[in-house]
Amino acid sequence: MKAHDVLEERGFFYQLTDEKIVADRLNGAPVTFYIGFDPTADSLHVGHLLPIMAARILQRAGHRPIMLVGGGTAMVGDPSGKTEMRQMLTPEQIQANTGDIRTQLERFVEFGDDKARMVDNADWLLGLNYVDFLRDIGRHFSVNRMLAAESVKQRLETGLSFLEFNYSLLQAYDFYVLARDYDCEFQLGGQDQWGNIVAGVDLTRRLLSRSVYGATIPLLTDQTGKKFGKTEAGAVWLDSGRTTVYDYYQFWRNSDDADVGRLLAYFTDLPIDQVQCLGGLQDTGINRAKEILAYEATAMAHGAEAAKQAFVAAGRQFGFADPQGTVETSSAVAAIGVDDVDDNLPTHELEAAMLGDGLWIVKLLVAAGFEKSNGAARRLLQAGGCYVNDERIEDLDRQITAADFTDGRMNLRAGKKNVRRIILRS
RNA sequence: GGUAGGGUUCCCGAGCGGUCAAAGGGGGUAGACUGUAAAUCUACUGGCGAAGCCUUCGGAGGUUCGAAUCCUCCCCCUACCA
């Protein structure tokens, strides 16, 4: 399997520092490469997934990933692709986040002695001496050139602090350290990382007289041009405590028709010819393709069992796209027997005592997390978007009583897609 | 440090003494139509069990019957100059 060619045909490359050499190296003998994440939150979200998927493909082709968690760079904050400075994080936050992110990465890439390695740039960045760093590293950087970088230019309009301006030096230094100590010769990153990657390539050449390479992955946007992975509710997180497995599944299931092929290529392991075939389908076919995408993506992040439950739960709620199995696929969804599985709707537990003589529907909507305030819940009712056991509730004063529950369960829905199973607890 | 212009609700952006919970747009939510898609159309979009009341216009004071609007001090941003 030729890694470069696989990445290429799946659309993973945006820019390469050296087309020919990168192709040769990645198609050839094992290479050590790295991708980095700054621990600015306690969970990764789907926006981070693209480079991870690329790393996964490279690893399976025999290359060695270094997954860098940027405990040091997070102290500074990358200005690339941002219109303003992000809030500074405390060292404690960063440390906690670093641990959480490591755990998540383990689901996508195999770690071990001769497998992937995890590093934290805090190990070599935090101890740096300012003047030494300026003399040894800073002298290789031209401010003129840095100012010309696209990511900096953008920020010149709104303001860029000296702190952030230094970010690319640190990332460049990372690449140099990894090249020096781990024989790393290739870096992958998002489209907005181009400047930082190139800076690292240059620095390494100057300091080690050695050629290293880099590539960027296209920035994923949805049809409206917005960054992929953000929804009304914010980012779609990999942590099931932040984004439930069901919602994660639904995120993929609700993809735009036009995106399905691309997303399958990026976020599943299905062979490329099957991906192309699925992406070209229409009507029921494209909906089946979305189910496959959602199942595969969910299984990757949360495991096959959880994905199966989400698939069944969603299917019971909205119907299955292809119950006859007419669309051919090698995905494991094809084998799921719909009847013999417990579904996995997100639940909300309700103290039986809260019910009393009746619990106001507005209160329940808020308690279950559908709405932030009574006012918002009222508006939902008024707009006709609230359903109890799939029956629309029109009555603003509707009281929920024990009669609404069957076996201690009841179904509460806000709009078409947000369902929660309310479980009575005594 | 100097000069000029700014900080308005999730975002952009009007408002410049009462009629302001604050125009317009974006975004979001819901409904209709559909395929759990897109596009389109409609309604809603600070809080309160909704009568009325309460809290919002960078912060703190002040003037006034009344302040997002006027005054004072402070904080922050942008541009030019140093």
Side-chain angles (χ1 to χ4, degrees), chain A residues 132-185:
Chain A
D132 288 345
F133 184 77
L134 287 180
R135 287 176 62 92
D136 297 341
I137 307 300
R139 73 186 157 111
H140 296 296
F141 284 79
S142 147
V143 171
N144 314 245
R145 194 132 44 102
M146 287 170 75
L147 289 174
E150 194 45 51
S151 57
V152 170
K153 251 198 225 155
Q154 208 181 55
R155 285 297 291 291
L156 251 22
E157 322 240 319
T158 53
L160 177 67
S161 69
F162 185 67
L163 173 76
E164 295 172 285
F165 186 58
N166 280 269
Y167 187 90
S168 75
L169 299 235
L170 296 184
Q171 186 165 331
Y173 185 71
D174 282 347
F175 201 172
Y176 154 73
V177 169
L178 293 176
R180 187 191 63 195
D181 298 349
Y182 298 98
D183 212 19
C184 175
E185 55 179 298

Side-chain angles (χ1 to χ4, degrees), chain A residues 157-388:
Chain A
E157 322 240 319
T158 53
L160 177 67
S161 69
F162 185 67
L163 173 76
E164 295 172 285
F165 186 58
N166 280 269
Y167 187 90
S168 75
L169 299 235
L170 296 184
Q171 186 165 331
Y173 185 71
D174 282 347
F175 201 172
Y176 154 73
V177 169
L178 293 176
R180 187 191 63 195
D181 298 349
Y182 298 98
D183 212 19
C184 175
E185 55 179 298
F186 182 66
Q187 178 180 183
L188 256 176
Q191 190 180 318
D192 55 2
Q193 294 300 308
W194 180 249
N196 296 336
I197 291 174
V198 170
V201 168
D202 283 346
L203 183 67
T204 307
R205 185 179 38 238
R206 286 177 197 203
L207 294 177
L208 298 178
S209 312
R210 202 193 293 169
S211 289
V212 291
Y213 311 94
T216 55
I217 297 170
L219 180 70
L220 259 195
T221 55
D222 63 17
Q223 289 311 107
T224 58
K226 275 189 308 182
K227 249 192 197 167
F228 181 76
K230 303 276 184 196
T231 65
E232 61 293 342
V236 177
W237 301 96
L238 297 191
D239 174 17
S240 60
R242 283 185 176 237
T243 299
T244 65
V245 176
Y246 179 80
D247 288 340
Y248 190 82
Y249 176 92
Q250 285 289 276
F251 166 76
W252 298 101
R253 176 60 251 256
N254 285 312
S255 301
D256 194 288
D257 285 10
D259 293 333
V260 174
R262 250 162 84 222
L263 297 179
L264 283 164
Y266 284 140
F267 299 107
T268 72
D269 293 334
L270 300 179
I272 190 68
D273 37 326
Q274 187 180 140
V275 164
Q276 277 157 0
C277 182
L278 288 170
L281 295 172
Q282 313 226 312
D283 301 318
T284 29
I286 193 73
N287 275 314
R288 178 57 167 170
K290 289 182 192 181
E291 281 183 359
I292 293 167
L293 167 66
Y295 172 82
E296 289 292 319
T298 307
M300 185 109 45
H302 298 290
E305 188 51 37
K308 190 175 179 181
Q309 291 174 355
F311 165 72
V312 171
R316 290 209 179 124
Q317 193 63 221
F318 299 104
F320 294 93
D322 183 26
Q324 259 67 49
T326 54
V327 173
E328 252 184 77
T329 174
S330 60
S331 167
V333 241
I336 295 177
V338 164
D339 298 322
D340 49 36
V341 185
D342 274 341
D343 61 27
N344 188 21
L345 281 182
T347 58
H348 173 75
E349 294 198 351
L350 185 70
E351 296 282 353
M354 295 254 307
L355 218 47
D357 308 330
L359 177 64
W360 189 26
I361 180 72
V362 165
K363 293 280 190 205
L364 181 60
L365 282 166
V366 175
F370 283 131
E371 298 292 351
K372 286 202 277 287
S373 69
N374 290 6
R378 284 173 108 89
R379 277 180 238 121
L380 181 74
L381 265 309
Q382 272 159 358
C386 173
Y387 306 77
V388 167

Side-chain angles (χ1 to χ4, degrees), chain A residues 111-125:
Chain A
F111 290 92
D113 287 342
D114 50 352
K115 300 202 172 106
R117 172 194 288 281
M118 186 101 69
V119 298
D120 183 347
N121 61 16
D123 293 345
W124 58 82
L125 291 182

